[in-house]
Amino acid sequence: MNLWIVLVNIGVGSVIGGVTNELAIRMLFRPLKPWYIGNWKVPFTPGLIPRRRDDIAIQMGRLVEEHLLTTEGVRRALAQGGLENTLASWMNNLAMHWMADERTLRQALLAAVPDLFTEDGGWKEGVRAPVQEKWDAFVQHLLSQYEETKLRELIPHAGQERLDATFATVSQLLMDRLRGYLHSPEGQQTLQSMVKSMLGGGGGMFGGLVGMFLTDDKIIGKILPALDDLLQSPELAGRLQQFLRKEADKLLDKNVGELVAWLGREQIDDWSRALFAKIEEQSLRLVDEPLSRLTAPIQETVQTNLVPRLAKWMVESLQQNVERIFSRLAIRDIVTRQVEGFPIERIEEMVVGISGKEFRMITVLGFILGGIIGLVQGLLASWLG
């Protein structure tokens, strides 16, 4: 047996096997572009992945859309992934940070929209005029919408019950106030003047006779108790209440158009402008309040009610509209375009970084198998020689 022949065969076979495997691995990525000798294209150029990049991109897009990022998988992730709690926590922190801000609302608005206020602190005409136009249009729309509607129909049932109770209170209040007035010096003087006027203006024969027998104090002393008893009478209170109710019924049976015509359009417009001015004045007072003070009454409601409901609604809306969102997003096309534009060098670096040890083992295995084949060839050559 020729030992040198065996060793040479082992070495040659090992080198061929290792180099072949290493070259095959490199040809997955290299060369990046086809090689040409004259007009002749060198076979196996470019490498496998650069040559099949478009096909790989299409298959990756299909894989992601059909098996990885599916609508059912996204729904399951939304339901089980704690997104609602995470979203609620984030929104709650954001809301609390905003509601604890010590800046005034005016400062916050000016930071977002610098051209809102005049130098004296009022709303600029460019802001105020459109709002007033909207307000006037709103008032006119309400009046025209309810023009044929009776006033009674605009009051809810609970409101009508409170109105009936108010009549009883008002009638009793009127009589109590009238009794108090009659017992006052001014009221007694008025009562004396009325009595004298009724008895002839304080002159004439009849007035003189009354004045001879009854002084002013005696007249008041006779009349005032009778009036006092009358004003405390439940029957009079009932009649006054009934009168107020009848007058209110007459008014409530009118429709809005009749009321507007009775009051006059100019009066309605004046009230509308006055109400808008009051709202404007109140809004300017509010914008100078700190955000923390304005939001203090609603902070607990926002934390415990609004934010959890909003987070739940957002997650449920996402779950219900996953298919519509996916159809609009075109996941397959997005992945395909991303893969097509991804640098081959980065793909090579990523794959080698993940599977570098396995690639080295494949190269070593090539050396070992090549050596074994060389050993077998050397032994056969020595035996046959």
Side-chain angles (χ1 to χ4, degrees):
M1 180 181 298
N2 192 335
L3 181 59
W4 286 106
I5 295 176
V6 173
L7 292 177
V8 169
N9 280 316
I10 290 175
V12 172
S14 179
V15 170
I16 292 173
V19 171
T20 302
N21 282 8
E22 181 68 19
L23 182 61
I25 293 171
R26 296 297 177 187
M27 288 179 64
L28 290 172
F29 307 98
R30 304 287 176 163
L32 300 179
K33 296 180 180 180
W35 290 353
Y36 288 92
I37 300 176
N39 292 328
W40 180 67
K41 178 184 174 184
V42 178
F44 306 111
T45 63
L48 176 62
I49 291 179
R51 185 169 65 250
R52 303 298 299 273
R53 168 187 259 177
D54 293 343
D55 295 336
I56 293 173
I58 293 172
Q59 293 301 322
M60 284 288 292
R62 184 178 300 170
L63 174 67
V64 171
E65 183 181 58
E66 295 180 358
H67 301 286
L68 298 181
L69 199 59
T70 62
T71 56
E72 189 59 36
V74 171
R75 283 199 188 96
R76 194 160 47 247
L78 289 173
Q80 301 175 358
L83 177 62
E84 183 177 330
N85 292 334
T86 303
L87 191 60
S89 177
W90 174 77
M91 288 193 298
N92 193 42
N93 291 335
L94 184 64
M96 289 302 103
H97 174 74
W98 184 77
M99 290 190 290
D101 198 338
E102 291 301 323
R103 294 181 303 165
T104 63
L105 181 56
R106 184 188 295 271
Q107 292 172 328
L109 290 173
L110 284 174
V113 186
D115 198 28
L116 272 181
F117 300 98
T118 59
E119 293 182 359
D120 60 355
W123 297 103
K124 278 205 169 180
E125 192 62 23
V127 177
R128 183 183 178 280
V131 175
Q132 186 168 18
E133 288 180 6
K134 292 289 185 182
W135 169 260
D136 292 339
F138 171 72
V139 172
Q140 298 304 322
H141 173 72
L142 281 182
L143 293 177
S144 61
Q145 182 180 3
Y146 294 102
E147 185 176 7
E148 301 298 329
T149 305
K150 290 186 177 181
L151 297 178
R152 187 185 305 278
E153 297 175 9
L154 299 176
I155 302 176
H157 182 69
Q160 294 187 16
E161 291 180 351
R162 286 196 296 270
L163 191 61
D164 290 339
T166 302
F167 291 147
T169 304
V170 169
S171 61
Q172 187 62 48
L173 180 63
L174 287 174
M175 290 192 296
D176 290 341
R177 291 291 178 87
L178 183 56
R179 286 181 60 238
Y181 177 74
L182 291 178
H183 283 277
S184 68
E186 182 182 358
Q188 292 182 8
Q189 185 177 359
T190 302
L191 187 59
Q192 288 176 357
S193 299
M194 292 175 62
V195 171
K196 287 181 178 180
S197 177
M198 291 172 59
L199 297 177
M205 184 180 67
F206 185 71
L209 289 174
V210 172
M212 291 174 57
F213 294 100
L214 294 174
T215 64
D216 291 344
D217 293 338
K218 288 183 178 181
I219 293 174
I220 297 301
K222 294 291 184 179
I223 295 177
L224 190 58
L227 289 176
D228 204 31
D229 291 341
L230 180 63
L231 291 174
Q232 295 184 69
S233 168
E235 182 181 358
L236 180 60
R239 289 185 178 181
L240 180 58
Q241 180 179 349
Q242 187 177 5
F243 170 77
L244 292 175
R245 184 179 289 109
K246 284 183 178 180
E247 293 301 314
D249 287 339
K250 292 178 182 178
L251 179 62
L252 292 176
D253 285 334
K254 295 181 179 294
N255 57 39
V256 173
E258 291 174 335
L259 180 63
V260 171
W262 178 61
L263 293 173
R265 200 69 174 189
E266 292 182 357
Q267 181 65 61
I268 298 295
D269 292 340
D270 289 342
W271 286 347
S272 174
R273 285 190 291 269
L275 182 57
F276 180 80
K278 197 69 176 177
I279 294 173
E280 182 182 5
E281 179 185 350
Q282 185 66 24
S283 68
L284 290 172
R285 188 178 296 116
L286 286 176
V287 297
D288 289 322
E289 293 286 340
L291 289 172
S292 57
R293 186 180 301 174
L294 288 175
T295 58
I298 63 170
Q299 286 185 10
E300 184 176 354
T301 303
V302 170
Q303 281 184 302
T304 60
N305 193 357
L306 181 60
V307 167
R309 285 189 177 184
L310 183 58
K312 183 178 180 181
W313 173 80
M314 292 175 69
V315 173
E316 289 178 350
S317 297
L318 281 175
Q319 290 176 334
Q320 294 170 1
N321 294 279
V322 166
E323 291 184 2
R324 184 181 303 174
I325 294 172
F326 271 42
S327 65
R328 297 286 181 86
L329 286 177
I331 300 297
R332 181 183 302 188
D333 295 338
I334 293 174
V335 174
T336 300
R337 286 194 298 269
Q338 290 295 320
V339 174
E340 287 174 348
F342 204 70
I344 294 296
E345 295 87 345
R346 183 71 183 107
I347 297 176
E348 180 182 6
E349 180 183 344
M350 182 176 61
V351 174
V352 172
I354 296 172
S355 306
K357 184 183 293 186
E358 287 74 13
F359 285 159
R360 287 192 295 272
M361 290 302 299
I362 291 173
T363 303
V364 171
L365 183 60
F367 279 108
I368 294 173
L369 291 177
I372 293 173
I373 293 172
L375 173 62
V376 172
Q377 286 179 338
L379 291 175
L380 289 174
S382 298
W383 181 64
L384 293 176

